[in-house]
Amino acid sequence: MSLTPEIIALLTLDAIFCFFGLIAWVVAFRIAFHWNAKATTPLQYTLSKQSYLGAIIIKYIFMLKLPLFAFFIYTCDKLSSIIAGAMCAAGVVNSVDFGLYLTLFKLLNLYLFGFWLLLHYADVNDEKLPFTRLKFVLFLLFSLPLFAEIALEVSFFSSLNISKIVSCCGTLFSAASDSYMSLLFVVDERIWVGLFYGSFGITLLAYGLKNRLLLIVSNALFLIFAIISLIIFFSTYVYELPTHRCPFCLLQKDYYYVGYALYAFLFAGTFLGMGGGVLALLSQRTQPRFMRASLAFNTLYLLSISAYPLVYFLRNGVWL
């Protein structure tokens, strides 16, 4: 293992997350099995106080993990300078067999913990505390991918071999790749782009109909097709190079860190759409604020990413 200051910081925070996560897990376990909002027993009084402790721990874990996701990518990007063949974070992540799964676990946990906070917000703003038991049961489930992510991260940094030659992002995100990524290139790029705009159209329909289930499904589809179309089509216009399709290089200084804004729009919009939809199903009440915010962020992403090929065509008169 090569211990850089960034890796030491990440591993130290992992240890802190484990410690406080276990405390929250014990609290959640007690509340999941003994919570009774109508009871006036000493146990219920104790659980009420412990629920605040558990909620604060979970909230701060999420608040730290949100910037740490970007810091993890930054760390991998920085490590690319000492790993032969790697040109950005993509090469470092893929230098370990489960590196991509670790990245997906991190993204999954942000969505899960974000939804937990939405549920917590709805719970504490209702005097009957209708979701207290549910939210701690969910934390028991959500803690599994959290601990899995921590274990994978420790194993990931332990497995990094700086003397091993890895593939650069130009090789990984191409039709010539021998990984599952090459399967995306079997389908015509116009189909992926069409699915991207089509899924956005379905989200508009879901907002118009105020259909909660359709809202969840359409935002999930929009997220999937947005990422695929970004790799296959839109990224080439950001880089103005037909062979460069890396979704990680968007976060680099050479491209004005535009990836941070694009991913923030996409993840915030789809999270609010899916999270707001699930919360509306649970509470049986429409969540107009989440719907409006989701629509705004999704639209910002669509307009921002669509501007790149349009501007390129207007300037050069050809498509890549």
Side-chain angles (χ1 to χ4, degrees), residues 7-30:
I7 293 177
I8 293 173
L10 285 169
L11 295 180
T12 302
L13 286 169
D14 281 341
I16 294 173
F17 289 154
C18 268
F19 176 72
F20 285 102
L22 284 173
I23 294 176
W25 194 91
V26 172
V27 170
F29 186 83
R30 284 169 55 83

Side-chain angles (χ1 to χ4, degrees), residues 194-205:
L195 290 171
F196 166 64
Y197 286 108
S199 59
F200 181 75
I202 299 174
T203 62
L204 290 179
L205 180 65

Side-chain angles (χ1 to χ4, degrees), residues 54 75 86 129 173 175 205 224-225 231 233 278 292 305-306 312-313:
T75 300
L129 300 175
F173 299 98
L205 180 65
I224 293 170
F225 293 130
I231 295 172
F233 178 73
V278 174
R292 286 196 295 268
I305 202 65
S306 299
Y312 183 88
F313 180 78

Side-chain angles (χ1 to χ4, degrees), residues 174-175 179-189 191-192 232:
S174 71
S179 70
Y180 49 84
M181 197 65 68
S182 61
L183 298 176
L184 297 177
F185 294 87
V186 174
V187 181
D188 192 290
E189 64 182 20
I191 295 178
W192 290 125
I232 299 294

Side-chain angles (χ1 to χ4, degrees), residues 192-193 195-197 199 220-230:
W192 290 125
V193 175
L195 290 171
F196 166 64
Y197 286 108
S199 59
L221 291 175
F222 183 69
L223 174 63
I224 293 170
F225 293 130
I227 292 175
I228 294 176
S229 61
L230 175 68

